[in-house]
């Protein structure tokens, strides 16, 4: 039979890889900021029309 102590050993931990860095133009950066702001505004407007939490406790 094979040696059981070698069969079920933990794998060594890997070193974390460094994330990629992407450079974008100032125009793209501004467009992305506008997109985020627009999404936040839509979320706020949607939240205004939801019923309040007072009716949830029934």
């Amino acid at each position: 039979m094979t040696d059981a102590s070698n069969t079920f050993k933990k794998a060594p931990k890997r070193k974390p890889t460094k994330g990629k860095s992407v450079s974008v133009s100032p125009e793209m950066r501004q467009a992305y900021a506008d997109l985020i702001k627009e999404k936040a505004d839509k979320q706020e407007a949607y939240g205004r029309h939801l019923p309040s939490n007072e009716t949830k406790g029934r």
Side-chain angles (χ1 to χ4, degrees):
M1 289 193 117
T2 59
D3 191 11
S5 63
N6 288 337
T7 305
F8 298 108
K9 280 194 171 182
K10 270 189 174 179
K13 292 196 175 193
R14 295 182 183 186
K15 290 183 180 179
T17 58
K18 193 172 183 180
K20 289 186 178 179
S21 171
V22 179
S23 60
V24 294
S25 66
E27 295 86 17
M28 280 191 72
R29 189 181 306 255
Q30 184 61 42
Y32 187 67
D34 293 343
L35 182 71
I36 291 172
K37 185 176 182 332
E38 183 180 324
K39 194 172 189 179
D41 291 344
K42 282 184 181 179
Q43 186 68 26
E44 180 189 344
Y46 176 75
R48 267 189 256 141
H49 299 292
L50 293 176
S52 63
N53 287 341
E54 296 170 7
T55 60
K56 193 175 183 182
R58 288 186 174 180

